Amino acid sequence: MRTSQKIATALLAALGVAASTSAPAADPMAGRLLASQCAQCHGTDGHAVSGFESLAGESVEEIIKEFREMRADTTPDIMDLQARGYTEEQVRLIAEFFAAQPHSGSDD
Amino acid sequence: MNGFTRRQFLKLLGATSAFAAAPPALRAATTAPRVVIIGGGFGGATLAKYLKHWGGNIDVTLVDANASHYSCILSNLVVTNAIPMSRITLSYANLAGKYGVTVLKDMAVAIDPDGHKVTLASGMVLPYDRLVLAPGIDFVPIPGWDPNLAPHAWQAGPQTTLLKNQLAAMPTGEFFVMTVPKSPYRCPPGPYERACVVADYLKRRKPGSKVILLDANPGITAEPHNFGTAFSTIYKDVIEYYTNASVLEVDSVNKVVLTSIGSFGGAVLNIIPNQQAGKIVRDTGLTTDPTGRWAPVDVLNYASTTYPDIHVLGDSQASTQPKSGHMASSQAKVCADAMLRGFAGGAPYPAPVTNSACYSPITASTASWLTAVYQYDPASKAMKLVPAAFGEAPAPSGDNYQDMFKWADNIFADSFM
C-alpha cells in the first residue's frame, strides 16, 4: 500500500467510513453495480442457474487471477475479451463483491 | 493496483460529507417511492427485479400488454421448430410473488409529465415519482405492408408462430424472402442469424429452396466474419445476399417486395421493417434525437433529456449502445442503482459499465458469439466502446451452441426470476 493510500485509509476510518484498499470502495454500492453486469451470464449475485461458473463466494485473489489469465489469452474466447473491458480497480471491486456473497456450491 | 491520488481523496471526502448530509433511511422511512415501469421485456423486468432486490421499500408497478414475455433471444430457433415456444415464454410470476412487484396486464395510453400520472388503456391512472418507459421497438410503416401476411417476427410471440407456420408450409424449391432493416435496429446480428438457421432448415428439409436476403445496409451489420463466411461457404447455394436494398413498397397478398435494387417475390415474405422507439415514447415527445425516432437519455441514470423523472431504457433510447435484450438488462441495472441513490438523496454512480454478450446459431448444431463492453466517458457523457473487449467468435462451434443455452437460461433468470 502506498503512503498516500495509507493516510487516506486511516483518515476515512477516523471519519467512520469503511476502510478499504481502493478509492471507490468507499462507495459500498459501486462493487454491487459493477458485479451486477456479470449476472446476465453468471447469475444474480453470482449464483449461476445453468452451466456457467458461479462466482459467489470465490476469493478476491482467485477472481483477480482469473481476470489476468483471461486478458493474457492469445486466442481469446468470449470471456477473455470481456475481461479486457474492465480496469484493475473495477476488477477488484467486482471481486470483492462476489467474495462477500455466500457460496452457492454450483461451480462449473 | 492504481495509486490513490490526492484528487481522488478530496473527491471521496466530498462524497462522504454529502452522504452524511442526506441519510438514506430518512426518505425511505417516510414514504415508499413509486416507480411505474411501462414494458416488461428484458429492460423493464430487470429494473423491476433489481429495484426490489437492492432497494426493498420501493413501490414498483410493471405494466405489460401480455401475461408473459416472449423472448426474442432464441426465437429464431422457434421459427425453425428446433425449440418450442414454451422455451422462450417468461412468466412475471416471480417478479410478483418473490419480489413484490405489482404486475398489471395493461397498456400505457397517455402520460401527464407535469402531473406525474400515467393513464392505462383500462382507464386506470397511476401516479408516479419515477416513470420508466421500456416498450422496445415499434416499426416504421411501409406502404402495402400487412404483418399478418408478411410477418416480421421481430417481436416474439404470435408473429414467431406465424412465420414458423409459413416456413413449414413453404413448397420445396421456393424462395424465402427476408429484409434487413436500416441500422440502428433491434439485435444487430439477428437478421443474419435468422437467414442462417432458415437456410440450414431448407437445406435439410426442403433442398433446392433459397433464402433471398435483402439488406438495407451497405454490408453485414454485425459479425461480418462469421456470417460472411457462412454465406460464402456452407450456404453458398442457399442464401442470395443483396446489399443497399431499401424497402419501398410491399405487395403483402402476392408476397412481393419492391426495393431500391428491384422487386423480389417468394412463397414466404419476412419483412423486418425499419424501427423507431415505442409509440408511448414518441407520443410523450421524447424522441428528440436527430432522426426523430429515438429518445436521448443521460446514460448515468437513463433519465430522458426532456423530462428528468421519465426514464427510457433499452431499444427505445438513443445512445451509443446497441439495441438488444442483454444491453437493456445491463442498462436497467445502472438505472436501478441510480434511482435508489437518487431516492436516498445521492447522485448516480459516476463511472458505470455496461456490456453485451450474445450467441447466434449458424446451423442446427453450431453457434458464434459477439461481445462488447462500454465504459462511461465523462468528456462526451456517453458510453464508449472498449475496442480491446469487442469481437466475434473466431468460428462457429458446437461448444458455442451449448453455451448459447447457458447464456439464455442465465439472462432469463437474472431478468425475470
Side-chain angles (χ1 to χ4, degrees):
Chain A
M1 192 185 283
R2 295 179 189 193
T3 310
S4 58
Q5 203 175 340
K6 273 188 193 165
I7 296 167
T9 307
L11 271 170
L12 285 177
L15 287 166
V17 175
S20 166
T21 53
S22 58
D27 177 348
M29 286 154 79
R32 185 178 76 179
L33 174 60
L34 292 166
S36 74
Q37 299 297 340
C38 310
Q40 286 98 322
C41 292
H42 295 280
T44 305
D45 296 335
H47 301 288
V49 299
S50 165
F52 293 134
E53 185 182 14
S54 281
L55 299 170
E58 269 200 39
S59 73
V60 172
E61 293 71 26
E62 179 62 21
I63 293 173
I64 290 175
K65 181 171 156 278
E66 284 175 348
F67 261 85
R68 288 197 177 133
E69 287 169 0
M70 290 186 289
R71 285 171 174 171
D73 202 307
T74 50
T75 54
D77 203 343
I78 187 165
M79 192 54 222
D80 301 327
L81 282 181
Q82 275 278 330
R84 287 158 216 215
Y86 295 81
T87 66
E88 290 286 327
E89 197 60 48
Q90 289 167 341
V91 170
R92 172 162 288 277
L93 287 167
I94 289 168
E96 285 171 355
F97 175 82
F98 285 127
Q101 303 306 309
H103 196 279
S104 59
S106 63
D107 281 347
D108 195 16
Chain B
M1 183 190 301
N2 295 333
F4 192 74
T5 65
R6 182 181 150 76
R7 201 162 143 257
Q8 279 172 321
F9 178 57
L10 289 175
K11 264 168 66 183
L12 242 182
L13 273 183
T16 308
S17 327
F19 197 72
L26 198 65
R27 178 68 176 85
T30 49
T31 46
R34 296 159 303 180
V35 180
V36 175
I37 305 167
I38 307 299
F42 285 94
T46 302
L47 180 70
K49 168 174 164 174
Y50 273 79
L51 280 174
K52 298 298 279 188
H53 180 55
W54 285 343
N57 190 27
I58 310 283
D59 180 351
V60 181
T61 303
L62 177 69
V63 180
D64 195 277
N66 298 308
S68 316
H69 179 67
Y70 300 104
S71 163
C72 281
I73 291 172
L74 298 185
S75 68
N76 283 331
L77 295 178
V78 177
V79 171
T80 59
N81 205 22
I83 58 171
M85 185 65 88
S86 58
R87 185 72 175 80
I88 61 165
T89 305
L90 302 170
S91 164
Y92 297 120
N94 267 322
L95 294 180
K98 188 170 159 191
Y99 295 97
V101 173
T102 303
V103 180
L104 301 176
K105 185 175 176 293
D106 212 324
M107 279 178 73
V109 291
I111 292 166
D112 172 2
D114 298 322
H116 286 204
K117 286 191 288 268
V118 53
T119 303
L120 306 182
S122 64
M124 188 186 280
V125 176
L126 301 175
Y128 62 80
D129 293 306
R130 289 281 187 279
L131 177 64
V132 183
L133 304 180
I137 50 155
D138 205 349
F139 300 109
V140 177
I142 304 166
W145 178 53
D146 179 352
N148 296 314
L149 298 172
H152 52 79
W154 218 242
Q155 288 161 327
Q159 277 279 308
T160 314
T161 304
L162 182 59
L163 186 62
K164 171 192 160 179
N165 292 342
Q166 290 191 355
L167 175 63
M170 182 176 136
T172 297
E174 269 286 355
F175 295 128
F176 181 101
V177 178
M178 64 176 286
T179 65
V180 184
K182 189 88 181 155
S183 199
Y185 59 86
R186 164 180 282 178
C187 188
Y192 311 101
E193 168 189 310
R194 178 175 292 171
C196 283
V197 296
V198 168
D200 178 83
Y201 173 93
L202 294 176
K203 246 174 110 169
R204 289 181 290 113
R205 305 286 294 273
K206 301 175 192 285
S209 311
K210 283 197 169 193
V211 175
I212 308 296
L213 184 59
L214 304 167
D215 194 337
N217 300 288
I220 298 172
T221 311
E223 297 184 57
H225 166 67
N226 281 305
F227 292 121
T229 303
F231 295 173
S232 63
T233 57
I234 50 174
Y235 299 131
K236 185 168 166 283
D237 301 321
V238 191
I239 297 176
E240 282 181 26
Y241 177 57
Y242 298 91
T243 57
N244 298 308
S246 299
V247 175
L248 304 173
E249 201 179 330
V250 176
D251 180 342
S252 299
V253 175
N254 294 305
K255 300 199 190 310
V256 178
V257 56
L258 174 63
T259 76
S260 54
I261 62 161
S263 284
F264 298 84
V268 178
L269 185 53
N270 174 204
I271 297 290
I272 308 171
N274 290 342
Q275 294 164 23
Q276 57 186 340
K279 187 171 185 298
I280 192 70
V281 180
R282 303 200 311 278
D283 288 353
T284 311
L286 307 183
T287 50
T288 58
D289 81 319
T291 68
R293 289 184 183 174
W294 312 103
V297 291
D298 177 347
V299 290
L300 290 180
N301 60 3
Y302 294 88
S304 156
T305 53
T306 310
Y307 301 109
D309 41 21
I310 302 180
H311 301 245
V312 184
L313 275 187
D315 294 350
S316 281
Q317 52 85 42
S319 80
T320 53
Q321 302 159 101
K323 301 183 186 305
S324 74
H326 192 115
M327 283 281 3
S329 177
S330 184
Q331 294 162 10
K333 292 167 184 176
V334 175
C335 179
D337 179 77
M339 224 176 247
L340 294 170
R341 288 170 188 262
F343 291 140
Y349 183 61
V353 183
T354 57
N355 66 42
S356 182
C358 69
Y359 291 83
S360 281
I362 302 289
T363 69
S365 59
T366 64
S368 64
W369 50 255
L370 177 63
T371 184
V373 177
Y374 294 82
Q375 292 267 0
Y376 183 70
D377 173 40
S380 61
K381 295 187 173 167
M383 298 305 292
K384 206 169 178 183
L385 180 76
V386 181
F390 177 71
E392 60 175 298
S397 76
D399 281 352
N400 290 341
Y401 195 85
Q402 298 308 316
D403 284 350
M404 173 173 68
F405 293 104
K406 299 178 192 172
W407 162 67
D409 283 337
N410 278 297
I411 191 171
F412 289 176
D414 186 42
S415 306
F416 288 85
M417 293 163 208

